[in-house]
Amino acid sequence: MKIRAFLALVSALLLSACVNKPEPEPFKIEKQKLHTKQADDGTHLFAFIVTVEKQARVKLDTAKKISRSDFKRFVNEEHIEDSSSLKLALEDRAVVLLKGALQEQAYCSNGYSIDEVYWKERQVQLRGKCND
């Protein structure tokens, strides 16, 4: 009886540890840079650029028989350059990073708006203006 209770408790602990483990980000941020300037009309503008690290591509050795697991990994591999969902995830992450960068530099203290988003391979650029 005590062994069953102990096993149930251990199982519950292991299960909760698996549930609470956060998903790893599918990309790593290589660098981020905030550029600021004032327009001729006095508006405070910004451009925030976030670049992710380049991912190595899975290579298949076609000289030998390909295992099922290697083929599955090759087929399911996603890269920021090719994946709309990863681009959206990076864009969401860039918005969070932008907020922190603006606070750190005490820029746009009355809020801001993002007016344009540009993509270039492993990079997203958010452009906008402060609510002055």
Side-chain angles (χ1 to χ4, degrees):
M1 184 69 168
K2 288 182 181 182
I3 292 175
R4 280 191 190 175
F6 176 74
L7 290 176
L9 178 65
V10 169
S11 297
L13 288 173
L14 289 174
L15 185 60
S16 68
C18 293
V19 170
N20 293 333
K21 188 175 182 180
E23 284 285 321
E25 264 192 328
F27 48 78
K28 291 192 186 250
I29 304 296
E30 182 178 294
K31 62 183 173 180
Q32 56 185 343
K33 179 75 174 161
L34 176 64
H35 301 276
T36 60
K37 90 175 206 180
Q38 190 169 1
D40 294 338
D41 65 358
T43 305
H44 291 89
L45 305 172
F46 64 83
F48 186 64
I49 303 168
V50 177
T51 306
V52 297
E53 291 179 356
K54 187 170 182 139
Q55 293 174 272
R57 300 250 179 202
V58 172
K59 300 213 190 268
L60 291 178
D61 184 2
T62 56
K64 62 180 183 176
K65 188 174 179 180
I66 300 168
S67 72
R68 198 177 263 179
S69 62
D70 286 343
F71 183 72
K72 189 175 181 180
R73 194 168 5 116
F74 178 77
V75 169
N76 292 328
E77 183 180 44
E78 280 191 302
H79 292 274
I80 199 88
E81 302 95 304
D82 311 322
S83 171
S84 298
S85 62
L86 286 180
K87 285 182 178 181
L88 288 174
L90 176 58
E91 194 172 314
D92 290 343
R93 181 78 174 116
V95 169
V96 171
L97 293 170
L98 169 64
K99 184 177 181 181
L102 291 172
Q103 287 176 344
E104 185 178 300
Q105 291 194 15
Y107 198 74
C108 296
S109 56
N110 292 329
Y112 60 92
S113 63
I114 299 171
D115 301 323
E116 300 171 308
V117 177
Y118 294 99
W119 282 96
K120 183 179 178 184
E121 293 182 17
R122 301 177 295 116
Q123 194 176 77
V124 64
Q125 184 178 128
L126 308 176
R127 291 186 186 180
K129 61 182 175 251
C130 299
N131 300 337
D132 293 328

